[in-house]
Amino acid sequence: MERQGVDMPHVECKDQDPQDLPALGESKERQQGDESCEDEAGRGSASANRQLMMLEGKSGSYFSSLDSSIDILKKRAQELIENINESRQKDHALMTNFRDSLKIKVSDLTEKLEERMYQIYNHHNKIIQDKLQEFTQKMAKISHLETELKQVCHTVETVYKDLCIQPEATTSEEQAHKDGEF
């Protein structure tokens, strides 16, 4: 993020010759009227020169005062611009500190979350391991019972076959026995 400041353009005011400018409150007609009076008076040229010097003194002090006011305004504007730039620098530093602090907190929180997640994984792994062991034991028991059941079924089958064969032998003996009794 780039800091942006306010720049005040540098303007130089060239001093103008106070004789070229009219005094405050004078209009061109008044100046022309004064000039014609001077021409008519001819004899009052010393007086006119005296008045002109007084007028130059007044306008000189006016422009000096005006220049001073302009300089004061320039200085105040420059101070305001500097204050704005300083304030922006402080804001930039504050945001940088905030961002850094937030990064640290997020990193810490992420580490804690990751640690908690692994604890949960370990707990679940233990539960799953116990269930798998229990399942393996039950499957072994089922396999053993299945073997016993097959043996029982084979025994029943053998007994049944023996019973089926013996009745035929018994029936012929019984037949002979019965035949002898008549």
Side-chain angles (χ1 to χ4, degrees), residues 48-97:
N49 283 340
R50 209 171 356 154
Q51 286 179 349
L52 183 61
M53 288 179 76
M54 280 179 45
L55 185 60
E56 286 177 0
K58 287 182 181 178
S59 66
S61 68
Y62 168 75
F63 285 112
S64 161
S65 169
L66 183 61
D67 287 343
S68 173
S69 296
I70 290 172
D71 287 341
I72 290 171
L73 288 174
K74 283 183 186 178
K75 286 179 184 176
R76 289 200 63 203
Q78 189 61 39
E79 287 173 2
L80 288 172
I81 290 169
E82 289 172 3
N83 288 342
I84 289 170
N85 287 337
E86 287 175 14
S87 176
R88 288 182 179 182
Q89 287 175 344
K90 288 178 184 176
D91 289 347
H92 180 70
L94 179 70
M95 287 305 293
T96 300
N97 289 340

Side-chain angles (χ1 to χ4, degrees), residues 6-7 26 29 38 63 65 69 89 97 108 113-114 124 127 133 138 142 148 161-162 165:
V6 176
D7 293 325
E26 279 191 341
E29 291 119 12
E38 287 176 13
F63 285 112
S65 169
S69 296
Q89 287 175 344
N97 289 340
D108 289 345
L113 183 63
E114 189 176 22
H124 287 162
I127 292 172
Q133 187 174 1
K138 288 186 179 181
I142 288 172
E148 285 182 13
K161 284 182 182 176
D162 287 345
I165 295 174

Side-chain angles (χ1 to χ4, degrees), residues 162-174:
D162 287 345
L163 285 176
C164 287
I165 295 174
Q166 279 184 359
E168 292 176 7
T170 308
T171 40
S172 58
E173 285 177 16
E174 285 180 7

